[in-house]
Amino acid sequence: MKGSAENPLHLKSLNHISLVCRSVEESINFYQKTLGFVPIRRPGSFDFNGAWLLGYGFGIHLLQSEDPDNLPKKWKINPKDNHISFQCENMGCVENKLKEMEMDYERAIVEEGGICVEQLFFHDPDGFMIEICNCDNLPVVPLAGEMARSCSRVDMQLLQHQIQQVIQQ
C-alpha cells in the first residue's frame, strides 16, 4: 500500500516478534512442540546465541539472555498483560492438549451482541503470555464504517482505503 496518513511508514505485514529467553533451547522446544513453529536458518553473522522460528505467516526470534538468572519471570497468568494471540480451529482440542501437557492456563469468555469468544491464556517458558482464541467468531467492525467481517477475512488494504474515504467525506 502506498504511504498515506493511515500508513505513513508503508507497512505491509508483521514480520516477527523477538523474545529474550533464559534458555533458547527450551524456548525452541516450546514454540515448536506446543505452537507448531518451525526453526529456520538465521544469519551466521550474528555473534550472539539465538534462534529463528517461522509459523502462521510471521517469525519469532529468540534471543539468549545475557543474564538468564536475573531475567524476571511472571508466574501469574493475567489476560490484561502483554501477549500474542493465535486463532484456532477447535478450542476444546486446545484445552485438552494444554491439560495433557500439564500446563497452567486461564480460561476467559468475551461476549458481544450474543457472540461468544473463548480464550485460553498461558505462559511460554520465560513467562511471556500466549492467548489461543476463536476470535474469528467476533466480527471486525471499523469505527469509521459499517462493513463487518470476521478476523480471518479482513482485507487490511481495503479496510484502510474505506476508512480513508470516510475520513475524506
Side-chain angles (χ1 to χ4, degrees), residues 62-102:
L62 302 173
L63 309 170
Q64 178 64 50
S65 172
E66 293 178 5
D67 190 4
D69 293 334
N70 287 322
L71 194 62
K73 173 130 181 176
K74 295 180 181 179
W75 296 100
K76 185 176 192 287
I77 297 172
N78 178 2
K80 296 177 193 168
D81 201 351
N82 295 325
H83 63 273
I84 187 167
S85 178
F86 295 92
Q87 292 187 143
C88 74
E89 295 177 5
N90 185 313
M91 291 297 291
C93 287
V94 172
E95 190 165 15
N96 288 340
K97 185 67 174 174
L98 293 175
K99 285 178 184 176
E100 178 184 306
M101 297 169 74
E102 298 180 353

Side-chain angles (χ1 to χ4, degrees), residues 6-64:
E6 292 78 30
N7 189 5
L9 300 180
H10 306 266
L11 302 180
K12 296 187 325 182
S13 66
L14 174 67
N15 181 269
H16 71 273
I17 61 169
S18 290
L19 301 171
V20 176
C21 310
R22 278 183 185 77
S23 165
V24 168
E25 292 74 25
E26 187 178 346
S27 293
I28 290 170
N29 186 50
F30 172 84
Y31 283 97
Q32 189 172 10
K33 293 185 177 167
T34 305
L35 297 176
F37 278 78
V38 176
I40 60 172
R41 189 178 67 168
R42 88 191 249 266
S45 61
F46 287 143
D47 62 354
F48 56 91
N49 189 14
W52 285 10
L53 302 134
L54 185 64
Y56 315 104
F58 74 97
I60 294 178
H61 294 184
L62 302 173
L63 309 170
Q64 178 64 50

